[in-house]
Amino acid sequence: AMAGCGWARSVRGLLLDVSGVLYDSGADGGVPIAGSAEAVRRIKASGLKLQLCTNETQATRENFVRKLRALGFDISVAEVTAPAPAACRLLKERGLRPHLLVHDDLVPEFAEIDKTNPNCVVLGDAAENFTYANLNEAFRLLIGMEKPVLISLGKGRYYKETDGLKLDVGAYMKALEYACDVQAEVVGKPAKRFFESALAELGVPPEQAIMIGDDIVSDVGGAQQCGMRALQVRTGKYRPSDENHPLVKPDAYVNNLAEAVDIILQQL
Amino acid sequence: AMAGCGWARSVRGLLLDVSGVLYDSGADGGVPIAGSAEAVRRIKASGLKLQLCTNETQATRENFVRKLRALGFDISVAEVTAPAPAACRLLKERGLRPHLLVHDDLVPEFAEIDKTNPNCVVLGDAAENFTYANLNEAFRLLIGMEKPVLISLGKGRYYKETDGLKLDVGAYMKALEYACDVQAEVVGKPAKRFFESALAELGVPPEQAIMIGDDIVSDVGGAQQCGMRALQVRTGKYRPSDENHPLVKPDAYVNNLAEAVDIILQQL
């Protein structure tokens, strides 16, 4: 699967997508993908650095890590790069006071942020909070601004849960973009700045890092745009048609995270 | 306002937008625009043909006409061209069986249409029916089709009601377009085919018809694309900045429908 991957010899750190790589998500909390918990342990034992790079916005990092640990993953909060903390840094830098249209469980991530008299809207995967009333409220705030500022935590089209496919934040982002004639600023994969944050937290330059993900565009394409190598796993949202993607070609395919780690550790 | 409008001499019929031209809409039923009911009577007395050309999708034509009559307008059902009946013709022509995501009050317009085992989605201004569950349901049906067919009753960005601005059907159309990677087929203004239906019902060729509307793009631009003259009223959603629109220039501006009718009748 990774013939000619001599470049893997120079690797010093791995960025891992979470949903579809470590576990399959669902309303029931999700199930680990076979071999992934052991693979995380082997990465750490090898001395390679590791950082999770996720677009998860339905929970604080604390609760997200609690869930991962319950599923058997040896992960700490500092090892998670997620959109909400990145958005908080951006809000502070630019003096922005957000109106939040996000999942209830994400709200504590914005505890330190001034939310009075909003001058921007932050949109996450709000799930059940995507009501007609809440969408109209966010829209009215935006259209009432002299220059509307819409910050979107990711731009995914949809995702799969145990009870079926769900529209992701990107669909609602497009609705507000069209209604307000504005372009959202995306915080999360595949934004270059977000990968750069994850690399900074990993402490490794892009040419010595490998991204491993299941999303051909957001994970693989986004990481390659930042100068990283990127592997696509054949788990999660992977589809065979991804291997004919017109624009993005992974540096290698692997059946799952366990196989990726096998091959990378053999090169070291 | 209409200096040099000698072309109005050849006019034989008028297409009128409704909301913002005849009345201002609202949850309370709306209020007539001063002089508009009298203007409709004068058009009819003059022998000019008249057809309402509306993107209204929150009521059947029967109920819509009942509301207009209660507001003082002498209008019959046959004088209304609206998206739902046009969509029904399209569905029948192409053997399409719709899943409806529309306002409850619009559903009777589709009474004659086979809705079993849907092979397309018809999207209207569903208002309170734009719930998270309903949007996910429409999305799942579309993404499950070999070639998704999304028919949108108009593509408006937003509209104003007495209790504030509301997202219009176009915003939800964009959400589903993005999630399913599909382009919606728009039935309603500004689609050329919709104006052509209205002209057929008016019984007048485009060069002898005038469109009167408050929407610079959907009413004025759409009608001009069909070879009609088009006037913009300074009522409804008209904004002074419309007069600097980069792409669309009305054949004339008028303060309201009453003034438009004054001037047109003077030319005859």
Side-chain angles (χ1 to χ4, degrees):
Chain A
M2 285 180 58
C5 292
W7 48 263
R9 270 172 230 144
S10 61
V11 66
R12 287 180 47 224
L14 305 182
L15 288 185
L16 306 186
D17 178 35
V18 182
S19 177
V21 175
L22 298 193
Y23 79 116
D24 285 316
S25 63
D28 49 2
V31 290
I33 291 171
S36 287
E38 177 63 20
V40 167
R41 274 190 291 274
R42 292 169 62 211
I43 294 165
K44 291 192 168 185
S46 74
L48 287 177
K49 293 186 177 184
L50 174 150
Q51 186 77 16
L52 305 188
C53 183
T54 178
N55 273 7
E56 171 68 39
T57 61
Q58 288 208 355
T60 59
R61 276 173 305 169
E62 286 71 17
N63 284 334
F64 187 53
V65 163
R66 194 169 298 139
K67 182 168 83 170
L68 292 176
R69 295 186 70 88
L71 292 172
F73 294 97
D74 175 23
I75 292 295
S76 67
V77 171
E79 289 168 329
V80 177
T81 300
C88 286
R89 288 195 295 276
L90 181 150
L91 294 167
K92 282 179 191 162
E93 277 169 27
R94 286 165 48 187
L96 291 170
R97 300 177 307 276
H99 169 81
L100 301 178
L101 178 46
V102 302
H103 197 284
D104 287 344
D105 294 346
L106 193 70
V107 173
E109 290 278 18
F110 297 88
E112 307 293 308
I113 302 287
D114 180 6
K115 293 179 282 291
T116 57
N117 188 18
N119 57 7
C120 74
V121 166
V122 169
L123 188 70
D125 177 13
E128 302 288 344
N129 281 346
F130 280 132
T131 64
Y132 182 60
N134 285 348
L135 285 164
N136 279 331
E137 185 186 12
F139 159 68
R140 279 177 209 143
L141 280 164
L142 284 170
I143 202 81
M145 293 171 193
E146 196 174 341
K147 196 176 175 316
V149 176
L150 174 60
I151 294 167
S152 187
L153 306 181
K155 60 171 188 176
R157 292 161 61 206
Y158 60 91
Y159 56 89
K160 188 178 184 174
E161 290 207 328
T162 41
D163 59 338
L165 296 175
K166 306 272 173 80
L167 288 169
D168 198 358
V169 61
Y172 295 94
M173 176 189 88
K174 289 290 175 182
L176 291 173
E177 284 189 338
Y178 177 69
C180 303
D181 196 16
V182 67
Q183 179 140 29
E185 302 175 40
V186 176
V187 175
K189 297 178 287 184
K192 190 169 186 179
R193 188 173 165 177
F194 186 72
F195 278 109
E196 289 168 350
S197 297
L199 285 168
E201 295 179 59
L202 185 67
V204 165
E207 60 278 11
Q208 298 182 343
I210 299 176
M211 173 78 198
I212 303 176
D214 64 334
D215 188 314
I216 181 71
V217 171
S218 189
D219 293 326
V220 175
Q224 288 176 334
Q225 290 283 322
C226 287
M228 274 176 270
R229 308 278 182 166
L231 311 185
Q232 189 178 14
V233 290
R234 294 196 181 98
T235 53
K237 70 170 73 167
Y238 164 86
R239 295 197 212 185
S241 62
D242 290 345
E243 304 201 13
N244 305 314
H245 194 282
L247 298 175
V248 183
K249 190 167 169 43
D251 292 280
Y253 295 97
V254 289
N255 287 321
N256 48 47
L257 178 63
E259 189 188 42
V261 172
D262 278 346
I263 296 169
I264 290 165
L265 296 186
Q266 278 167 22
Q267 305 282 331
L268 294 181
Chain B
M2 285 179 58
C5 291
W7 48 263
R9 273 172 227 141
S10 61
V11 67
R12 287 181 46 225
L14 304 182
L15 288 185
L16 306 187
D17 178 36
V18 181
S19 177
V21 176
L22 298 193
Y23 78 117
D24 285 316
S25 63
D28 49 3
V31 291
I33 292 172
S36 287
E38 176 64 19
V40 167
R41 273 190 291 274
R42 291 170 62 211
I43 293 166
K44 292 192 168 185
S46 74
L48 286 177
K49 292 186 177 183
L50 173 151
Q51 185 77 17
L52 305 189
C53 183
T54 177
N55 273 6
E56 170 70 38
T57 62
Q58 287 207 356
T60 59
R61 276 173 305 169
E62 284 72 16
N63 284 335
F64 187 54
V65 164
R66 194 168 299 138
K67 182 169 84 170
L68 292 176
R69 295 185 69 88
L71 292 172
F73 294 98
D74 174 22
I75 292 293
S76 67
V77 171
E79 288 169 329
V80 178
T81 299
C88 287
R89 288 194 296 276
L90 181 151
L91 294 167
K92 282 180 190 162
E93 277 169 26
R94 287 168 46 188
L96 291 170
R97 299 178 307 276
H99 169 81
L100 301 178
L101 179 47
V102 302
H103 198 285
D104 288 343
D105 295 345
L106 193 69
V107 173
E109 290 277 19
F110 297 88
E112 307 292 310
I113 302 287
D114 179 7
K115 293 179 280 289
T116 58
N117 188 18
N119 58 7
C120 74
V121 166
V122 169
L123 188 70
D125 177 13
E128 301 289 344
N129 281 345
F130 280 132
T131 63
Y132 182 59
N134 286 348
L135 285 164
N136 280 331
E137 185 187 11
F139 160 67
R140 279 178 209 142
L141 280 163
L142 284 170
I143 201 82
M145 293 171 194
E146 196 174 340
K147 196 175 175 317
V149 176
L150 174 60
I151 294 168
S152 188
L153 306 180
K155 60 171 189 176
R157 292 161 62 207
Y158 59 91
Y159 55 89
K160 189 177 183 172
E161 291 206 326
T162 41
D163 59 339
L165 295 175
K166 306 272 172 81
L167 288 169
D168 198 358
V169 62
Y172 294 94
M173 176 189 89
K174 289 291 176 183
L176 291 173
E177 282 188 338
Y178 177 69
C180 303
D181 196 17
V182 67
Q183 180 140 29
E185 303 175 40
V186 176
V187 175
K189 297 177 286 185
K192 189 169 186 179
R193 189 173 163 175
F194 186 73
F195 278 110
E196 288 168 349
S197 297
L199 285 168
E201 296 180 58
L202 185 67
V204 164
E207 61 276 13
Q208 297 182 342
I210 299 175
M211 173 78 199
I212 302 176
D214 64 334
D215 188 315
I216 180 73
V217 172
S218 189
D219 293 326
V220 175
Q224 289 177 333
Q225 290 284 321
C226 288
M228 275 177 271
R229 309 279 182 165
L231 311 186
Q232 188 178 15
V233 289
R234 294 196 181 98
T235 53
K237 72 171 72 168
Y238 163 85
R239 294 196 212 185
S241 63
D242 292 345
E243 304 201 15
N244 305 314
H245 195 282
L247 298 175
V248 183
K249 191 168 167 45
D251 292 280
Y253 295 97
V254 289
N255 285 322
N256 49 46
L257 178 63
E259 188 188 42
V261 172
D262 279 346
I263 297 169
I264 291 167
L265 295 186
Q266 281 166 21
Q267 306 281 329
L268 295 182

